[in-house]
Amino acid sequence: MPTDNDPILVTCGLPYANGPAHIGHLRTYVPADIFVRALRRMGRDVLFICGSDAHGTPIVVNAESKGMSPRELVEFYHKHFEDVFRSINVRFDYFGCTDDPSNHHRTQEIVRALMERGHVYPREIELAYCPRCERFLPDRYVEGICPYCGVPARGDECDQGCGRHLEPGEIKDAVCKICGSRAEYRKQTHYFFRLSAFRDFLLDYLQRLGGTVSARNYALEWVRQELKDWCITRNMSWGVKFPGSEDLVVYVWVDAPIGYISFTEEWCRSHGVPWERYWRGKSRIIHFIGGDIIYHHCIFWPAMLEGAGYTLPSDVVASGMLKIDDKKFSKSRGYVVWVKDDYLDQGLEPDYLRYYLASYTSHTKEVNFSWKILQEKVNTELVGAFGNFLNRAVTFAVKNFDGRVPDGDLDPEVMKRIEASVEEVSTSLMEYEFKRASDAVLSLADYANTYFQSHEPWKLIRSDRRAAGSVLRNCLQMAKAMIILMEPFMPSKMAVAWSQLGMDSLDDIQFRDAVKPIPEGQALGTPKILFSRIEDSTVKRLEEIFRERIRRAEGAEERKEEKPLIPFDHFKALDLRAGTVLEAERIKGSDKLLRLIVDIGERRQIVAGIAKMYSPEELVGRQVVVVANLEPVKIFGVESRGMLLAADINGNAVLLKPDREVPAGSGIR
């Protein structure tokens, strides 16, 4: 077992590079960052790594819908998450990407090791195959019926029923999500990890696993049931190639956690440190994850590490889920708060959000986010308690003691209270109780406010200057302790507060320094209001943005539901034809419109609002689907005689096309 002197590696579940960051993401990353900062304040040797999860079918599907390559999509969202983390003061030592060469190499090395040790073997299985698309269907390209509970399910998970992980070929009544056709089952050889052989190991390992009880108990429940061998290959071109195969890639849940190792390697290489120090030695490895990926981190991942001969995680810390305004989090229904658009770009203080997420409730419980609760916590706890005391103490000392820490004795009761707070914060954070830790700091702030108020230094200064000085020195000592202990939660604000005490830098300060006497005569900084109130007008504006998103989502649902049934004759009246784009150019003065000449058996001029999704150059020679018998209209002064068909993906047009080359003008039925 690792000791207090051994290195610590802290990781976060990898953000999927397929969409922007929302507040639910931060439920994992902010507490992990607080924990790492606290470890450093305790003098521990800790490395903090993360990176983008770059592979899997959803990224391929999304990239295709946007007319991008998977790598281009991943690079876009990789930078987005880097920027968001930097803005919210989540500071990783290394932030990599699972599509980097180092992760391809490390994944293949581990798979080879598992094969050599007999833990991976080939098996012929029946997989969903779409005759129309002429391809085997990866898990997210297929949907059907869960074989365990009988409800509709995705190809890889029963997401609407029992929640069980589904292996390739398990789903019943498979339908191709690309074309909607009924799939058939055909045989193909895939590779399996012999997970069933690790049952006894997992039962023993999970009993000793640290972190949150919720993660351990959830995993134990699954292991006590039947463990099935795990298919670790997929039919895709995007991903890490399975060793010795040109057609198969490893399943994303193989190469994604291996990113923890390859990212560590990259950091170690640049710092001249052997990576084996963390992954082949006595280290403490702590994973912070969302509650929805416990199965993968507590069952698949440790079994793979054990099979390949790597150090096992010592702790898995799983967060509770997130609600928005007391409603279940749902992007499709509008119950989502985007970190960049809805928070950072609105000019809100990043540290307020960090404090909210850590202090609202226990880490394993469900967090409810609302703008009104944020306002209440900021105005009451930060402005009214913490900030109020700090400003009163520093302002009084600057005004009455020439801007310096007054001479005077430190009260043993005050020092005892500070020592107790340091102990409570340290213990709570090591037990992943972030709310308990933040509550301990706020409790010290309440004690400090009462101390200041009850000793009435504004009266004492007129009758006993030395006694007033002692009161103020004790107050500044408590302010120092509060700042040090709150720094992991609100690093930017505490750096400002630290400067008001006349200190240079918090970088090398540790929790134990909270009880070191603040020097008499030390020059203080300029007192300033540390926290600003969130006004009702701000909350009203933010809530209106949120409500408008919900209205748009509800409107989209209504539009989908309100379309009436039509007779088949109405459909037959449409003249749908396959066409080939011959010419394409932008329409001057418009950033949305393109003028196209399309061969549909005859040349047609068509105006299409797709300029933001497609360049003219990439359209020439492309096949499209055209409604040929619409009445001609003028758009931006240009006549349009037809309309292209496209899917609407979050307001973006994705052009439909035949799945193989057909003669221009071919009818569509």
Side-chain angles (χ1 to χ4, degrees):
M1 291 293 292
T3 68
D4 287 348
N5 296 321
D6 292 318
I8 300 173
L9 176 70
V10 178
T11 79
C12 284
L14 311 185
Y16 202 41
N18 197 37
H22 51 71
I23 286 181
H25 285 110
L26 300 185
R27 185 78 168 102
T28 297
Y29 304 111
V30 166
D33 184 79
I34 291 170
F35 181 71
V36 168
R37 290 174 184 271
L39 287 176
R40 289 172 176 155
R41 298 270 172 237
M42 299 176 202
R44 302 298 299 274
D45 175 8
V46 58
L47 177 64
F48 190 27
I49 60 126
C50 191
S52 294
D53 184 356
H55 297 136
T57 315
I59 283 175
V60 177
V61 173
N62 195 15
E64 288 176 353
S65 74
K66 295 179 182 296
M68 306 169 70
S69 70
R71 181 70 195 190
E72 288 173 328
L73 183 73
V74 166
E75 287 174 349
F76 176 84
Y77 284 116
H78 178 81
K79 184 179 185 305
H80 166 80
F81 274 98
E82 277 191 313
D83 293 343
V84 166
F85 290 143
R86 190 180 302 110
S87 298
I88 211 76
N89 288 317
V90 173
R91 300 298 166 88
F92 297 109
D93 294 308
Y94 188 85
F95 188 76
C97 176
T98 59
D99 196 49
D100 289 342
S102 60
N103 196 55
H104 282 252
H105 169 76
R106 181 53 49 193
T107 298
Q108 291 176 336
E109 285 292 300
I110 287 177
V111 171
R112 288 191 188 98
L114 292 172
M115 294 174 74
E116 290 167 2
R117 298 180 182 200
H119 300 310
V120 170
Y121 64 93
R123 184 205 295 174
E124 189 176 67
I125 59 175
E126 289 192 336
L127 287 176
Y129 180 89
C130 179
R132 185 172 181 181
C133 295
E134 296 183 331
R135 63 182 296 177
F136 282 101
L137 298 173
D139 41 35
R140 290 295 180 93
Y141 278 81
V142 64
E143 57 189 9
I145 301 299
C146 174
Y148 299 100
C149 69
V151 305
R154 299 189 322 215
D156 65 337
E157 180 187 8
C158 182
D159 55 320
Q160 298 182 48
C162 63
R164 187 159 182 159
H165 169 81
L166 299 180
E167 290 293 330
E170 281 195 307
I171 197 163
K172 304 300 182 185
D173 300 330
V175 173
C176 174
K177 289 181 68 174
I178 305 169
C179 68
S181 299
R182 178 74 63 181
E184 58 188 42
Y185 288 89
R186 295 188 183 182
K187 291 182 178 180
Q188 190 185 34
T189 298
H190 277 262
Y191 290 83
F192 283 74
F193 174 59
R194 210 179 299 273
L195 184 63
S196 59
F198 288 84
R199 184 178 186 275
D200 291 343
F201 156 75
L202 287 168
L203 287 173
D204 178 64
Y205 165 74
L206 289 170
Q207 296 286 357
R208 297 177 284 107
L209 180 66
T212 52
V213 175
S214 58
R216 182 168 62 250
N217 289 346
Y218 180 90
L220 277 169
E221 186 65 27
W222 278 106
V223 175
R224 286 176 181 136
Q225 300 174 25
E226 181 184 6
L227 273 184
K228 292 188 175 183
D229 290 352
W230 179 36
C231 182
I232 61 168
T233 50
R234 295 295 187 270
N235 291 288
M236 294 180 66
S237 59
W238 174 246
V240 177
K241 291 292 184 184
F242 186 82
S245 173
E246 288 299 317
D247 301 323
L248 300 176
V249 299
V250 299
Y251 181 38
V252 64
W253 272 111
V254 175
D255 74 85
I258 290 173
Y260 300 143
I261 303 176
S262 66
F263 304 156
T264 306
E265 287 186 84
E266 289 298 301
W267 182 89
C268 288
R269 185 177 295 115
S270 64
H271 288 78
V273 177
W275 66 268
E276 291 88 350
R277 180 172 187 254
Y278 296 95
W279 288 100
R280 287 268 173 81
K282 284 182 63 180
S283 62
R284 184 175 177 186
I285 298 170
I286 303 170
H287 295 312
F288 278 77
I289 63 169
D292 57 335
I293 53 176
I294 292 173
Y295 192 92
H296 308 84
H297 280 78
C298 293
I299 298 176
F300 294 160
W301 178 229
M304 280 202 307
L305 291 171
E306 175 72 6
Y310 286 74
T311 302
L312 298 172
S314 57
D315 299 63
V316 174
V317 184
S319 64
M321 304 306 285
L322 181 80
K323 293 173 75 174
I324 303 292
D325 222 18
D326 263 332
K327 298 292 193 304
K328 184 178 179 181
F329 175 89
S330 171
K331 289 182 280 188
S332 63
R333 293 174 56 234
Y335 286 97
V336 60
V337 175
W338 303 110
V339 179
K340 186 176 185 301
D341 293 350
D342 298 339
Y343 195 93
L344 296 172
D345 287 355
Q346 300 301 321
L348 297 171
E349 170 56 50
D351 277 0
Y352 290 174
L353 184 55
R354 288 174 63 97
Y355 178 76
Y356 185 108
L357 292 171
S359 68
Y360 181 89
T361 190
S362 172
H363 186 65
T364 58
K365 293 182 179 178
E366 193 171 60
V367 165
N368 177 46
F369 180 84
S370 84
W371 295 114
K372 285 184 178 178
I373 299 176
L374 176 69
Q375 179 191 34
E376 290 169 6
K377 288 183 71 66
V378 169
N379 294 355
T380 302
E381 298 170 15
L382 299 183
V383 176
F386 195 114
N388 177 60
F389 169 74
L390 185 72
N391 186 254
R392 292 174 79 189
V394 176
T395 299
F396 194 92
V398 167
K399 181 179 178 181
N400 294 282
F401 293 95
D402 301 322
R404 295 183 178 276
V405 177
D407 296 344
D409 297 330
L410 290 173
D411 187 336
E413 286 301 315
V414 167
M415 298 306 291
K416 186 185 296 185
R417 185 60 186 255
I418 291 173
E419 289 172 2
S421 298
V422 172
E423 177 64 24
E424 178 68 7
V425 170
S426 301
T427 301
S428 298
L429 289 173
M430 292 305 293
E431 294 174 355
Y432 313 111
E433 291 290 349
F434 301 98
K435 174 176 171 51
R436 199 170 77 200
S438 64
D439 284 350
V441 185
L442 262 291
S443 179
L444 180 59
D446 290 338
Y447 175 85
N449 273 302
T450 300
Y451 181 92
F452 186 93
Q453 195 69 22
S454 64
H455 284 78
E456 299 181 324
W458 58 92
K459 292 182 180 179
L460 204 55
I461 192 72
R462 296 195 293 268
S463 59
D464 190 339
R465 182 176 178 81
R466 180 165 179 79
S470 292
V471 170
L472 260 297
R473 189 178 181 216
N474 278 278
C475 287
L476 293 172
Q477 183 71 39
M478 286 186 280
K480 174 187 175 183
M482 288 160 51
I483 294 167
I484 292 172
L485 295 175
M486 189 61 90
E487 187 278 340
F489 296 86
M490 295 187 289
S492 293
K493 284 297 184 183
M494 292 307 102
V496 174
W498 193 244
S499 68
Q500 292 187 31
L501 294 186
M503 309 289 194
D504 291 332
S505 172
L506 265 168
D507 290 348
D508 299 322
I509 300 298
Q510 297 193 358
F511 281 166
R512 63 173 177 263
D513 293 324
V515 297
K516 287 184 178 179
I518 190 166
E520 296 172 313
Q522 175 176 289
L524 297 168
T526 303
K528 294 179 181 177
I529 299 297
L530 185 62
F531 300 112
S532 299
R533 291 176 56 83
I534 297 179
E535 302 298 338
D536 291 343
S537 58
T538 300
V539 172
K540 183 178 179 181
R541 172 172 56 83
L542 295 169
E543 286 189 328
E544 182 52 37
I545 294 171
F546 176 58
R547 299 297 169 198
E548 177 58 28
R549 177 175 294 123
I550 294 172
R551 285 193 290 269
R552 288 200 305 269
E554 290 174 345
E557 286 298 314
E558 288 174 3
R559 287 192 295 273
K560 288 179 183 177
E561 295 172 2
E562 286 177 357
K563 291 184 179 179
L565 296 174
I566 61 171
F568 183 63
D569 286 344
H570 288 191
F571 174 76
K572 286 173 63 178
L574 292 174
D575 182 6
L576 300 176
R577 305 185 203 173
T580 302
V581 178
L582 303 176
E583 302 173 20
E585 63 179 14
R586 295 185 181 277
I587 292 179
K588 189 174 181 180
S590 173
D591 60 353
K592 298 180 180 179
L593 300 176
L594 296 179
R595 186 185 75 86
L596 310 175
I597 300 298
V598 184
D599 180 4
I600 58 169
E602 61 183 282
R603 289 170 63 93
R604 286 282 188 92
Q605 177 173 277
I606 297 173
V607 176
I610 56 175
K612 290 190 174 181
M613 293 297 297
Y614 298 91
S615 67
E617 295 76 20
E618 69 181 302
L619 288 171
V620 174
R622 183 188 181 106
Q623 289 218 300
V624 291
V625 176
V626 177
V627 182
N629 60 337
L630 289 179
E631 293 182 355
V633 294
K634 280 198 172 183
I635 304 174
F636 222 77
V638 180
E639 185 180 68
S640 179
R641 298 181 60 236
M643 181 177 73
L644 307 188
L645 293 188
D648 184 353
I649 308 297
N650 298 324
N652 296 316
V654 180
L655 292 174
L656 304 185
K657 63 178 181 179
D659 69 348
R660 67 190 71 181
E661 187 88 6
V662 298
S666 298
I668 292 175
R669 56 188 176 85

